[in-house]
Amino acid sequence: MISIALAGKPNAGKSTFYTAATRADVDVANYPFTTIDANRGVTHVRTDCPCLDRDERCGNENCRDGKRYVPIELLDVAGLVPGAHEGKGLGNQFLDELTNADAIVNVIDASGATNEEGEPVEIGEHDPIEDIDFVEEEMDLWLAGIIDGNWESVERKSRSPDFDIDDALADMLTGFGATEADVAASLRSLDYPDDPIQWTDEHREELARDVRARTKPIIVAANKIDVAPEENVERLLELDKPVIPTTAEGELALRNAADAGLVDYDPGDHDFEIVGDVNDQQRDALTDLRDTIAHWDGTGIQGALDFAVYDLLDRLTAYPVQDRSKWTDAKGNVLPDAFLLPDGSTPVDLAYAVHSDIGDGYLHAVDARTNREVGEGYELEEGDVIKIVSTN
């Protein structure tokens, strides 16, 4: 399962984001280090379900009238403070928790109501622009420290006649989530001495920054847009980085209201309908929230997760079925499973995602939309429905 981590300084709204996205019960409070131990839960990314191309909706529990929600893991860890890579605050614990994440959502307080330590200040007192590169810099320097601390072993290995720096660095960085391909790509993009003994701190830091960017891409969630000065949000959106305006409080309120039968709302919708009995105070709050999400195209919580998976990580959704005409599994369930695969994946990759035995016994595949066989080199597209024929 793809894992997305929520990062940022304390009190930026990470725990509220996490609660809204996962519906899990965690501590949410207005003080630094609300989160001590990492929270892990399941949330979803949203895409169009293939059942929209059929006469009836599929009825899958993760499909809401053609809005398909595909599960991913969401991780909420302790907040960062300056110097986290040196162990300040809960820095080492925070950064260690990020090693298994595929992408990072950097949650910042767009209202400027928390300082760099995560302590409450007046709205607008702190410049949220200063928080944009904060997580990235701490992660880069933390990884550079790990590389530096293990560099002596690379130097020892370099004395061997069959030394390969790609292999040596891949061995070191596997725990950070880097693959051999990641390491090779980073080395191709850098200028460095052939002899590891001649590498400087600058060389190792450049390597760390490049590897982190490849293995832990970051999107910024400009949170608290419901109270943020609009010019703050506009300035953030002008940056040359992916930034999604968000209101975690608003998303949480809508999901609670939907659970109570007060509103008709699905995560990722840009509007909602009041369908239950609400008092004047609730109606006023919902009206204000409607104005906010109309202005910013939603609460941004679903949008941030979707962007992280489908854009940062270049994933697509594919649906394996057994019956190519009815799009069902052996039990008659329509479109029972959805898999998030890297862009460029083939039917063989989908077969292995279903089960290693299915992949080992792969014979061929059929595009259930066209009822035509596709080659094993066919590159899957978003929403493909595929029947896999296997000996197993």
Side-chain angles (χ1 to χ4, degrees), residues 5-8 38 40 75 77-101 104 134-146 175-176 212 216 218:
L6 301 178
R40 291 180 181 273
L75 176 64
V77 298
L80 276 173
V81 296
H85 68 280
E86 298 173 335
K88 294 181 181 179
L90 300 176
N92 287 330
Q93 174 181 329
F94 167 90
L95 292 162
D96 285 345
E97 292 285 359
L98 292 181
T99 55
N100 293 320
I104 311 295
F134 184 47
V135 169
E136 182 176 318
E137 183 70 8
E138 291 295 338
M139 290 183 64
D140 289 349
L141 294 177
W142 174 72
L143 181 56
I146 291 176
F176 187 73
R212 196 282 309 156
K216 302 289 183 288
I218 298 174

Side-chain angles (χ1 to χ4, degrees), residues 48 51 57 123 164 237 314:
D48 290 335
C51 71
R57 303 290 73 81
I123 289 178
D164 187 303
L237 291 173
D314 288 326

Side-chain angles (χ1 to χ4, degrees), residues 132-169:
I132 288 291
D133 296 326
F134 184 47
V135 169
E136 182 176 318
E137 183 70 8
E138 291 295 338
M139 290 183 64
D140 289 349
L141 294 177
W142 174 72
L143 181 56
I146 291 176
I147 292 173
D148 188 65
N150 288 276
W151 198 252
E152 186 177 337
S153 66
V154 177
E155 293 179 348
R156 287 198 302 269
K157 291 178 181 179
S158 70
R159 301 187 183 101
S160 171
D162 58 352
F163 171 73
D164 187 303
I165 192 167
D166 291 50
D167 292 340
L169 293 180

Side-chain angles (χ1 to χ4, degrees), residues 9-12 29-32 109 111-123 125-126 224:
K9 67 185 184 183
N11 207 23
N30 190 31
Y31 55 82
D109 179 0
S111 75
T114 46
N115 64 20
E116 64 179 10
E117 299 283 347
E119 299 164 339
V121 295
E122 293 296 321
I123 289 178
E125 186 173 327
H126 178 74
K224 305 186 183 181

Side-chain angles (χ1 to χ4, degrees), residues 254 257 261-263 272-291:
L254 283 176
L262 301 179
V263 301
F272 59 89
E273 181 182 357
I274 299 176
V275 294
D277 293 329
V278 296
N279 58 38
D280 291 342
Q281 184 178 5
Q282 290 173 321
R283 186 174 297 275
D284 289 343
L286 288 171
T287 299
D288 289 343
L289 182 53
R290 170 177 278 130
D291 292 341

